[in-house]
Every structure is written in C-alpha cells, then in structure tokens.
C-alpha cells in the first residue's frame, strides 16, 4: 500500500476519534481494519503506529495549531480540517523521513477530497505559516513595495489619426 493511502486511513481514524471516546476507539479501530480488504499486515501496522503517535503528541500538535492559526483555534475548526492538520503537523514535526513540502501537499489533497470548498486553501495557509515559522500576530503586514513602471502615454485627438507619444509631443514643443 502506498504512503498516500496509508495517510488517508490515518486521517479517517483521527476523524473518528473526534466522535468516540478513547475506550470506544479501541473497538472502532478494530472494526475499521476488519472492513478493509486491501492493506497487508505491514501497512496495517504502519497505519496503527502513525495513528497512535499522532494521538500521543496531540496536545503538542494542537498547541502548535493554536499558536499559528489566528481566529481559528482547534475548538472552532472544521473536524475534517482539524484531522488533516493534526496529521500534517505530526509529519512535519516528528517524522524526519517525510519532507515538509510533501506533508503539506498531501494534507491539502486530503482536505480537498474530504473537506469543504475552502478546506484545501485553509489547510495550506495554516501549514504554510507553521513551515515558515511566521506567526500571525494580528498586525497587518505590508506587502513589499511594487516596482515603479514607466510607460509611454499616447495622446489621441479626433483630428489626428496618427498616435503621438507624449515624449515626442513634449520634445516637439521645445
């Protein structure tokens, strides 16, 4: 089984966690795996291990999410987006064999597939802030100054069919 498929399964388990108690999740995880035909035992173990590791770091992960997402604390987030973000932050912070860009891209794809219309961009924005280390402190950030553009202005008159650039017109008057 590919890593992308494993991520999807971990995401689904994390999503289920938000609706079930810890005691119920033991049974729910078993039922979930019984319903799957495709994964081999190694894939199942990888899924279980990553799921358990995310849960073990959940407090730290939620702290990171709350720190970097202005106006969208974990308690207010859509549950799909929150599950995707938790998985991605875990991969970004604790799995050295997963490049940060891959974790972000995979999270955005899962969010697009399972979330709402704006889930992909929301997840991308939050993870981008985390990856860059730039916290949203509530201050307005100014965009860099735009380059000055110089263009020729063309004057047209109804009696003149020929276009005359302003610079030519100005020099003719001198």
């Amino acid at each position: 089984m590919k890593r992308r498929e494993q991520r999807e399964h971990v995401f689904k388990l994390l999503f289920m966690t938000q609706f079930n108690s810890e005691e119920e999740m033991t049974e729910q995880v078993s039922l979930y795996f019984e319903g799957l035909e495709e994964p081999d035992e190694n894939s199942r173990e990888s899924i279980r291990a990553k799921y358990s590791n995310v849960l073990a770091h959940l407090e730290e992960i939620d702290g990171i999410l709350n720190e970097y997402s202005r106006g969208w604390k974990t308690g207010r987030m859509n549950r799909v987006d929150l599950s995707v973000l938790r998985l991605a932050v875990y991969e970004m912070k604790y799995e050295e064999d997963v490049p940060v860009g891959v974790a972000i891209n995979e999270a955005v794809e899962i969010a697009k597939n399972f979330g709402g219309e704006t889930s992909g961009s929301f997840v991308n924005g939050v993870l981008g802030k985390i990856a860059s280390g730039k916290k949203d402190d509530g201050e307005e950030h100014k965009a860099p100054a735009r380059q000055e553009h110089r263009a020729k202005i063309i004057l047209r008159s109804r009696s003149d069919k020929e276009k005359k650039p302003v610079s030519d017109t100005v020099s003719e008057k001198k």
Side-chain angles (χ1 to χ4, degrees):
M1 173 182 284
K2 295 179 182 178
R3 279 184 157 190
R4 176 172 277 193
E5 293 169 293
Q6 289 179 5
R7 269 187 197 93
E8 261 187 39
H9 290 297
V10 174
F11 156 75
K12 290 174 183 177
L13 291 171
L14 289 170
F15 182 75
M16 289 169 47
T17 301
Q18 297 179 64
F19 298 96
N20 297 289
S21 69
E22 198 173 319
E23 297 80 32
E24 293 171 323
M25 276 311 293
T26 305
E27 183 181 349
Q28 291 297 321
V29 170
S30 296
L31 290 171
Y32 181 80
F33 281 114
E34 283 177 21
L36 296 178
E37 297 173 8
E38 58 200 54
D40 56 37
E41 194 53 43
N42 287 337
S43 295
R44 288 174 190 247
E45 190 51 44
S46 293
I47 293 167
R48 282 178 206 244
K50 187 176 279 194
Y51 168 70
S52 296
N53 289 336
V54 172
L55 291 181
H57 292 94
L58 202 56
E59 192 174 312
E60 297 162 59
I61 291 168
D62 284 355
I64 292 168
L65 290 171
N66 286 325
E67 190 175 345
Y68 282 89
S69 58
R70 179 174 161 231
W72 287 99
K73 301 305 176 203
T74 54
R76 286 191 61 219
M77 288 181 191
N78 170 315
R79 291 182 182 185
V80 170
D81 297 350
L82 180 57
S83 298
V84 172
L85 287 167
R86 285 173 169 169
L87 175 58
V89 170
Y90 170 77
E91 288 184 337
M92 290 167 64
K93 297 295 180 185
Y94 301 104
E95 285 196 352
E96 293 178 12
D97 64 327
V98 178
V100 171
V102 170
I104 293 172
N105 289 338
E106 292 291 324
V108 169
E109 288 304 313
I110 292 172
K112 286 179 181 178
N113 288 336
F114 294 97
E117 199 173 292
T118 60
S119 290
S121 59
F122 175 73
V123 165
N124 189 48
V126 173
L127 295 176
K129 286 179 188 176
I130 293 169
S132 69
K134 294 180 181 173
K135 297 178 190 172
D136 198 347
D137 53 11
E139 294 179 17
E140 282 190 39
H141 300 283
K142 292 183 180 179
R146 295 177 70 170
Q147 269 188 334
E148 187 177 310
H149 295 282
R150 297 176 190 229
K152 286 187 176 182
I153 299 172
I154 300 174
L155 298 176
R156 298 180 186 173
S157 71
R158 292 183 185 189
S159 60
D160 250 348
K161 290 185 179 179
E162 186 180 318
K163 299 176 186 177
K164 294 183 179 183
V166 171
S167 58
D168 290 346
T169 308
V170 172
S171 60
E172 287 177 10
K173 290 182 180 179
K174 289 184 179 178

